[in-house]
Amino acid sequence: MKEYKYKINGNTYNVAIGDIEDNVAQVEVNGVAYRVELPEKKAAAVAAVKAPRPSAAPRTATGEKVIAKPAAAGAAGKKAVKAPLPGTVLSIPVKVGDAVSASDTVIVLEAMKMENTIKAGIDGTVKEILVSAGDAVADGAPLVVIE
């Protein structure tokens, strides 16, 4: 039996609920037993939801599937050096036109109170510097273009 205390209009009632069979409950209020008929539950109507069918993949005029391919990295020999994590640009030790090797530092980035040196990654010439010292950059933001 589950027991509850209710206060109704300043009067305290000790209610104990016993077995419930079908729609009849055995209830005791302040020591007096009662049979309480509960309203019958109607089965809730369940609406069937039809999931939409996926559409067919687009095809070319010859019937081949169209597959979106990402643009080739380093198209036309250029490569953008990207920020590996969000931070603030502290310094840029290269200038446009400088020849760099893959292991050369092109950006010094502060992230989480630490200085991170960002390497060129490829041999080439600095074609464009996209940030300035003091700039806040997001993860994956292009910093320097090397050709």
Side-chain angles (χ1 to χ4, degrees), residues 41-76:
K41 292 183 182 178
K42 293 182 182 179
V46 177
V49 177
K50 279 186 140 182
R53 286 189 53 178
S55 60
R59 297 189 179 267
T60 63
T62 60
E64 295 177 29
K65 291 182 181 178
V66 175
I67 300 173
K69 293 182 182 176

Side-chain angles (χ1 to χ4, degrees), residues 5-80:
K5 278 192 175 184
Y6 295 105
K7 193 168 200 172
I8 302 172
N9 294 332
N11 297 322
T12 301
Y13 296 92
N14 294 318
V15 178
I17 300 175
D19 295 331
I20 300 174
E21 292 181 24
D22 296 325
N23 64 333
V24 178
Q26 301 298 325
V27 179
E28 193 175 292
V29 179
N30 290 342
V32 179
Y34 295 94
R35 288 186 69 220
V36 178
E37 288 187 37
L38 304 171
E40 289 187 34
K41 292 183 182 178
K42 293 182 182 179
V46 177
V49 177
K50 279 186 140 182
R53 286 189 53 178
S55 60
R59 297 189 179 267
T60 63
T62 60
E64 295 177 29
K65 291 182 181 178
V66 175
I67 300 173
K69 293 182 182 176
K78 291 184 180 180
K79 177 190 182 246

Side-chain angles (χ1 to χ4, degrees), residues 58-114:
R59 297 189 179 267
T60 63
T62 60
E64 295 177 29
K65 291 182 181 178
V66 175
I67 300 173
K69 293 182 182 176
K78 291 184 180 180
K79 177 190 182 246
V81 177
K82 296 182 179 181
L85 67 167
T88 304
V89 176
L90 288 182
S91 65
I92 306 167
V94 295
K95 298 183 296 294
V96 174
D98 286 355
V100 294
S101 65
S103 62
D104 288 346
T105 299
V106 292
I107 297 283
V108 178
L109 188 69
E110 179 188 14
M112 298 182 284
K113 306 280 185 197
M114 293 184 66

